[in-house]
Amino acid sequence: MTLTVYGLPNCDTCKKARNWLDRFGVAHTFVDYRADPVPPTTLKAWAQSLGGWEKLINKASTTWRTLLPQRKDPRTEPEWTLLLKEYPALIKRPVVVQGDEVSVGFSDNAFKKRFGT
């Protein structure tokens, strides 16, 4: 089953995740979601898989902190998808997708557990 890593090429966490996968021989494809935007239906599926839109958003990011207060409280799916289309850097990085399994972020232990190395 194909493993796809979504993120930004200059993101340190994405680099760590990709290096880990390379080191342990886990084949994967990388998608830069600024250059190749993620469709709203995919964003919605990720949010559902993760347990809600809040789990997909990086609220520690500079992008989030600089948003106007009214933009930080989307109430509908179209508002969420528009926000992420406008500011793709708000998506937690990396998003790792394999089949129906979706995860965000990187840690050595989580990757060991998920990929059995």
Side-chain angles (χ1 to χ4, degrees):
M1 192 172 297
T2 304
L3 176 71
T4 306
V5 178
Y6 295 84
L8 301 174
N10 293 327
C11 168
D12 287 339
T13 307
C14 292
K15 288 178 187 176
K16 288 176 190 175
R18 293 170 68 194
N19 288 337
W20 190 98
L21 293 168
D22 288 341
R23 187 172 64 242
F24 288 99
V26 179
H28 64 282
T29 303
F30 180 75
V31 176
D32 175 351
Y33 53 62
R34 270 198 188 129
D36 189 13
V38 178
T41 53
T42 303
L43 291 171
K44 179 181 173 183
W46 289 353
Q48 287 176 339
S49 179
L50 293 168
W53 289 100
E54 299 283 334
K55 306 276 185 178
L56 187 58
I57 302 297
N58 180 5
K59 291 189 175 183
S61 72
T62 303
T63 305
W64 179 262
R65 291 192 305 267
T66 59
L67 282 178
L68 295 172
Q70 60 269 29
R71 294 300 307 272
K72 293 181 179 181
D73 192 25
R75 297 179 191 269
T76 65
E77 285 180 6
E79 288 176 343
W80 277 110
T81 56
L82 178 62
L83 182 65
L84 294 178
K85 179 181 177 186
E86 215 175 311
Y87 301 101
L90 287 175
I91 301 171
K92 282 186 182 175
R93 300 183 293 270
V95 177
V96 180
V97 179
Q98 189 173 31
D100 292 335
E101 188 175 355
V102 178
S103 65
V104 292
F106 166 76
S107 79
D108 186 65
N109 286 339
F111 270 42
K112 282 180 183 174
K113 183 177 178 184
R114 180 167 178 182
F115 301 108
T117 60

